[in-house]
Structures are given as structure tokens and as C-alpha cells.
Amino acid sequence: AFAHEVRKGRTVRGQWFYCTNEGAKNYVWFHSVQELVKRAIEADGVDTVDLGPSGNDAFSELKARYGFESVDDWPAVADYTGPFFYEGEEFDEEDDDERQRLMKL
């Protein structure tokens, strides 16, 4: 099992991949969510952590147990407009041409 994250605009999205059912039971999700939220809090320009689609009610309930709201209309909450973030880059909202263009619509 492994975890991966992508930052675009003002949102960080977590993704998890499990090769086996046993891998899904090794707490990768819990530890990576904790680190993902920590990095999002510390990052300039991030205001949302997207844990991705739940896939089933049991996963929605698991997310809710740890304080995450299940959202059907995620584009209304998670702002993905703007550039991808690459480690080592500074986030500069003023240079975010795509975001500025959309805000003027």
C-alpha cells in the first residue's frame, strides 16, 4: 500500500492505492491523512483537504468519524483552480493567472 498527494490551486488531494486487501488493513490511510492535514495546515494558500470519493457508505462513515464532512458537490468546496504545486515552490496567489481569470467571470 502507498499514499500519494497532489496539490492544485488551494486544495490538497490525497490518494491511496492498495495492492491487496491485507495492505488496506495496515493503517496507511490513517497515518497519511494525519500527515496530509498537517502539511495542509502549514502550507500557504491551502484551505481544503480532499480525501477523494468514498466509494461506499462504510468509507463515508469512517471519514465522518474522524471529522471529515462528506460532500457531494466537491467543486463547490475544493478550489482546484490554479496551478499544480511542486515541492520547493512558493505559492503566489497573485501569479495565479487561471484563478484570477475565473474570479473575474
Side-chain angles (χ1 to χ4, degrees), residues 7-102:
R7 178 173 165 188
K8 185 170 188 324
R10 303 183 65 80
T11 302
V12 177
R13 165 78 184 267
Q15 299 174 317
W16 296 267
F17 303 91
Y18 306 100
C19 296
T20 64
N21 287 338
E22 188 63 31
K25 298 175 186 176
N26 287 325
Y27 302 102
V28 169
W29 187 81
F30 297 99
H31 295 295
S32 63
V33 166
Q34 181 180 16
E35 289 300 311
L36 182 69
V37 170
K38 178 182 171 188
R39 283 190 298 280
I41 290 169
E42 294 171 350
D44 289 333
V46 173
D47 57 23
T48 304
V49 173
D50 180 354
L51 300 182
S54 295
N56 61 48
D57 289 340
F59 199 62
S60 291
E61 291 170 11
L62 177 67
K63 288 178 182 178
R65 188 177 331 148
Y66 291 96
F68 292 93
E69 182 180 344
S70 184
V71 176
D72 291 328
D73 186 14
W74 61 265
V77 177
D79 182 359
Y80 278 102
T81 60
F84 282 98
F85 174 82
Y86 299 95
E87 190 172 342
E89 287 185 352
E90 295 284 329
F91 179 78
D92 186 354
E93 195 169 324
E94 297 301 316
D95 287 340
D96 185 353
D97 293 335
E98 181 182 4
R99 179 178 175 76
Q100 295 300 322
R101 183 181 58 76
L102 289 172

